[in-house]
Amino acid sequence: MKKTAIIYCEDHFGTMDGKTANGLIRSSRKYQIVGVIDSEKAGMDTGEYLEGEKNGIPIFQNLDQAIESLPLVPNHFIYGIAPADAFLKSDERKTIMKAMELKMDIINPLHEFFTEDAEFLNQSIKYGVTIHDIRKPPQSKDLHLFSGRILDIQTPIIAVLGTDSAVGKRTTSVILEAALLEMGLNVAFVATGQTGIIQGAKYGVAIDAMPLQFMIGEIENQIMNAYNEDNPDIIIVEGQGALSHPAYISSCGILRGSRPGAVIIQHPPKRKHLGDFSFMEMPSIKSEIELVENFSSSKVIAITINHENMSDKEIEAVVIEYEDQFQLPTTDVLKHGCDKLISSIFEAFPKLEHKKNKVLAN
């Protein structure tokens, strides 16, 4: 059985900085999410707020209200915000201390490591709880340099990249994985960020916490683990940031470490400025495609849309525009599913079509 968890996402649920909470509400293999804490949206249903369809997971005013309302104290307390500054505020510290007093294990996705905080460490010892610092990298002796092993495998590798952070790359990856699994294909998903790992990805590493010299090797190593252990028909690699992003190099590491045979690019057409850098304009989808294809030997085979601030009519218009301009299948997977992506993957890797037909025949 899954362990229960409550997510702290004060004032950020459903926003870009609430992407960890948003992702866990949409998909969690590891935890049974029993509620979200966000006083701005208290009393609402998380599914209805995110997708317009109720899922029975409530939003609470604070931790006290959650504990009063739930039948049992959750097993875990997950900090579900990905703030640009990545450090806790004083009231958040108090909430986490209270969660440990209630004997909840703590899931921390920040660069600020709770296991190196004397107050948190003493509290965890006092109440017999465990702190999990998701982004804390292993010791250097346990990390991997690029070895070139990935050059010898024939399994199709798809990277889902984007034009900015928090545009839905992981969400698209997870939905695509589920659709391919439903068709009977053996799919391996490699997470490259803290949310995918918390969601329960079998393979993954928070690459933005890696020393730079190990980033590419760690991605390669996770893919090789998936290849050797699961013998997948296809491997999907979650993207981070954007190759064009002025502050992040994660996409560079992903392209070098995973050597994808094809790339899907996610873009929010109505976003005017980079999410955490409002003084910088968003790149165009055209410039990002050109950059990816010039930087790597990978071809972009499809475009996916993040529909933030867009009406259904606007989504349809952008799909038509992009397909006409770029001659690439374009879709919004949350609105229209993955059929176009799957068709583009089968076209890029014809042997997968044979495997699909074999599965359907059986």
Side-chain angles (χ1 to χ4, degrees), residues 26 47-53 167-168 171-172 175-176 266-267 269 303-319 330-341:
R26 289 186 172 118
E48 187 171 33
Y49 187 82
L50 273 186
E51 315 289 1
E53 187 173 333
V167 294
T171 297
T172 291
I175 292 173
L176 177 59
Q266 181 117 350
H267 180 62
I303 300 169
T304 47
I305 300 299
N306 177 316
H307 60 242
E308 62 183 40
N309 302 317
M310 295 178 71
S311 67
D312 289 345
K313 282 189 176 181
E314 287 174 320
I315 295 168
E316 291 173 9
V318 167
V319 166
T330 302
T331 191
D332 178 334
V333 298
L334 286 174
K335 294 281 187 176
H336 303 141
C338 287
D339 289 350
K340 288 183 180 180
L341 300 187

Side-chain angles (χ1 to χ4, degrees), residues 179-185 346 352-362:
L180 291 168
L181 285 169
E182 191 172 338
M183 298 180 73
L185 294 178
F346 287 149
L352 281 177
E353 182 81 35
H354 172 72
K355 289 189 177 184
K356 179 200 75 170
N357 290 335
K358 191 174 180 180
V359 168
L360 292 176
N362 292 332

Side-chain angles (χ1 to χ4, degrees), residues 4-290:
T4 56
I6 190 161
I7 307 170
Y8 177 89
C9 198
E10 176 58 31
D11 197 30
H12 288 294
F13 183 65
T15 71
M16 189 181 79
D17 283 352
K19 64 180 183 179
T20 297
N22 304 339
L24 285 165
I25 289 300
R26 289 186 172 118
S27 174
S28 180
R29 310 174 198 189
K30 192 170 183 179
Y31 303 106
Q32 178 189 344
I33 308 302
V34 296
V36 168
I37 296 169
D38 183 345
S39 62
E40 296 294 315
K41 305 165 190 75
M44 302 183 72
D45 179 276
T46 57
E48 187 171 33
Y49 187 82
L50 273 186
E51 315 289 1
E53 187 173 333
K54 289 187 177 183
N55 61 13
I57 302 174
I59 304 176
F60 296 107
Q61 177 82 18
N62 50 40
L63 181 58
D64 288 337
Q65 186 198 28
I67 298 306
E68 289 174 6
S69 304
L70 294 168
L72 295 171
V73 175
N75 304 117
H76 294 83
F77 176 97
I78 301 173
Y79 185 86
I81 308 173
D85 55 13
F87 293 101
L88 291 175
K89 301 176 180 64
S90 59
D91 57 333
E92 293 175 333
R93 291 185 64 87
K94 291 176 183 176
T95 299
I96 293 168
M97 291 288 283
K98 177 66 175 179
M100 285 193 274
E101 184 180 333
L102 292 166
K103 299 189 181 300
M104 284 187 265
D105 290 342
I106 306 299
I107 310 299
N108 168 36
L110 299 175
H111 287 292
E112 178 183 4
F113 302 140
F114 295 175
T115 54
E116 296 178 0
D117 182 303
E119 184 180 28
F120 282 161
L121 195 56
N122 289 336
Q123 185 83 335
S124 70
I125 293 169
K126 180 178 179 180
Y127 291 102
V129 300
T130 302
I131 297 172
H132 301 274
D133 285 327
I134 303 302
R135 270 179 160 142
K136 192 170 187 178
Q139 295 182 15
S140 294
K141 67 180 180 63
D142 298 319
L143 295 173
H144 299 81
L145 294 169
F146 182 71
S147 70
R149 292 174 294 159
I150 197 168
L151 302 176
D152 297 326
I153 71 173
Q154 301 302 311
T155 304
I157 298 172
I158 309 291
V160 182
L161 305 183
T163 54
D164 192 9
S165 58
V167 294
K169 298 178 290 287
R170 185 197 64 259
T171 297
T172 291
S173 299
V174 170
I175 292 173
L176 177 59
E177 176 199 18
L180 291 168
L181 285 169
E182 191 172 338
M183 298 180 73
L185 294 178
N186 182 14
V187 187
F189 169 60
V190 178
T192 56
Q194 70 279 6
T195 303
I197 294 169
I198 296 171
Q199 283 179 308
K202 184 177 179 181
Y203 303 102
V205 58
I207 61 171
D208 65 356
M210 289 290 118
L212 292 182
Q213 71 188 101
F214 296 111
M215 178 186 289
I216 295 171
E218 280 299 304
I219 295 168
E220 178 195 42
N221 187 63
Q222 290 299 319
I223 291 172
M224 293 308 301
N225 287 343
Y227 174 77
N228 291 324
E229 294 175 21
D230 290 350
N231 188 28
D233 298 319
I234 184 171
I235 298 171
I236 299 172
V237 182
E238 173 196 11
Q240 295 293 324
L243 188 58
S244 62
H245 203 289
Y248 307 139
I249 65 165
S250 304
S251 287
C252 172
I254 289 166
L255 283 167
R256 290 291 189 244
S258 67
R259 305 282 165 154
V263 170
I264 294 167
I265 290 189
Q266 181 117 350
H267 180 62
K270 295 292 284 287
R271 191 180 293 185
K272 301 302 182 185
H273 298 90
L274 293 175
D276 290 328
F277 300 88
S278 59
F279 53 88
M280 300 200 73
E281 290 185 1
M282 282 285 295
S284 69
I285 184 68
K286 180 177 185 293
S287 67
E288 198 71 30
I289 291 171
E290 291 173 349

